[in-house]
Amino acid sequence: MRKKTYAMRYVAGQPAEQIFPGVLAHLGPDLPPGAALPNSNILRVMVWNIFKQQRADWLSVLRDYGKDAQLVLLQEAQTTPELIRFATSNYLAADQVPAFMLPQHPSGVMTLSAAHPVYCCPLREREPLLRLSKSALVTVYPLIDGRLLMVVNIHAVNFSIGIDVYSKQLDPIGEQIANHKGPVIMAGDFNAWSKQRINALFGFAGNIHLEEVRFPADYRKRAFGRPLDFIFYRDLSVTSASVMETRASDHNPLRVEFLAGQPLVQ
């Protein structure tokens, strides 16, 4: 029997808590009230495949490049004491979807946030060849203007023949975004290393009206000449976007600043 998908929530001073998928029907006005992301008229987001913290200096890069970010979206985040200590010392909540168990600590996507999410939906998809899982996490946060921001953190399946499993992983995410009335950020390591995968990803993003963040100096990790990490968005405006070159992981972290004010009505 396939294991039930859940997220682990880490909050300073509290025991870790299992969070099971939210109900899609509750994604709307019935969501519980919550405190807004602080200073979310200007929204700073960092996205990084952290390579299970296997290389030196990962913590200093996370601390320095993620400084002042209200949201940090990590892939391959291993729940080591050092990472949990950083997360709970600097953020109100850290939600991780364990994708697969390592000898000591599980690894998967983890979203660090400066406010508690009012909705949390963990997702997993199994690699068809290696039989290992990749994870995704959908969370929702209030903004100071009263809107709700949906955040999707994803590590896409890597080793598969064709794009059936790749598209299967995106489908439930697309359903949630399509049912969300408000701004969206979807980001992570999409493993879009083939023409088929790139076409599937951009077709998916276009269908749910997401735009791609462009990087003036593009130092993103590439495979077969194609970038693997992306940030997509809706109902926000990009004011700056950058990529940091580092040896602290096999991926370079991305950072984007959004203007989150209400969009003008045409």
Side-chain angles (χ1 to χ4, degrees):
M1 181 179 293
R2 190 169 182 175
K3 293 180 180 178
K4 193 164 187 180
T5 301
Y6 61 91
M8 293 299 300
R9 177 163 298 164
Y10 300 91
V11 176
Q14 299 181 19
E17 177 187 5
Q18 281 190 337
I19 307 292
F20 291 95
V23 179
L24 188 63
H26 292 168
L27 188 53
D30 295 333
L31 281 173
L37 283 167
N39 304 315
S40 52
N41 54 323
I42 300 294
L43 193 59
R44 299 176 181 90
V45 182
M46 177 181 176
V47 180
W48 191 23
N49 183 323
I50 202 170
F51 196 48
K52 306 181 186 72
Q53 300 102 270
Q54 293 182 68
R55 295 186 181 174
D57 295 331
W58 65 267
L59 184 56
S60 62
V61 171
L62 188 57
R63 183 186 295 116
D64 296 341
Y65 199 57
K67 185 180 180 181
D68 301 327
Q70 297 102 317
L71 293 163
V72 175
L73 280 59
L74 302 175
Q75 301 81 50
E76 293 192 27
Q78 192 176 354
T79 52
T80 59
E82 293 84 1
L83 179 57
I84 299 303
R85 186 163 49 247
F86 169 83
T88 55
S89 299
N90 293 277
Y91 292 88
L92 284 185
D95 293 288
Q96 188 223 31
V97 185
F100 57 94
M101 299 300 174
L102 296 168
Q104 287 183 298
H105 309 289
S107 171
V109 299
M110 177 184 283
T111 300
L112 316 181
S113 53
H116 292 283
V118 296
Y119 174 84
C120 180
C121 184
L123 299 164
R124 288 196 307 171
E125 189 62 48
R126 191 178 295 277
E127 297 265 15
L129 299 180
L130 298 183
R131 309 307 296 168
L132 298 173
S133 294
K134 289 292 193 293
S135 58
L137 177 64
V138 181
T139 46
V140 173
Y141 308 90
L143 299 177
I144 58 174
D145 63 8
R147 295 182 298 165
L148 294 173
L149 170 70
M150 175 173 280
V151 177
V152 180
N153 183 356
I154 182 170
H155 190 190
V157 293
N158 194 7
F159 301 104
S160 64
I161 299 171
I163 58 168
D164 289 348
V165 177
Y166 191 77
S167 297
K168 180 184 175 186
Q169 186 183 17
L170 293 174
D171 285 345
I173 294 170
E175 182 182 2
Q176 300 218 23
I177 293 175
N179 282 278
H180 176 64
K181 309 301 181 187
V184 174
I185 297 170
M186 181 180 76
D189 177 358
F190 287 87
N191 277 315
W193 42 259
S194 71
K195 184 177 179 179
Q196 277 186 311
R197 284 170 173 248
I198 283 284
N199 289 342
L201 175 59
F202 278 87
F204 169 82
N207 287 338
I208 50 177
H209 310 294
L210 299 181
E211 298 181 65
E212 178 194 5
V213 172
R214 305 280 186 172
F215 298 94
D218 193 349
Y219 302 114
R220 287 178 292 173
K221 168 70 178 292
R222 281 173 158 73
F224 304 107
R226 298 179 177 89
L228 302 180
D229 306 301
F230 292 87
I231 302 175
F232 297 93
Y233 66 99
R234 184 180 78 189
D235 291 345
L236 299 164
S237 300
V238 176
T239 58
S240 67
S242 61
V243 183
M244 176 184 180
E245 291 187 279
T246 180
R247 294 184 179 179
S249 170
D250 62 345
H251 287 245
N252 289 328
L254 320 179
R255 183 177 165 107
V256 63
E257 184 176 287
F258 294 103
L259 179 65
Q262 287 277 14
L264 296 174
V265 177
Q266 299 295 326

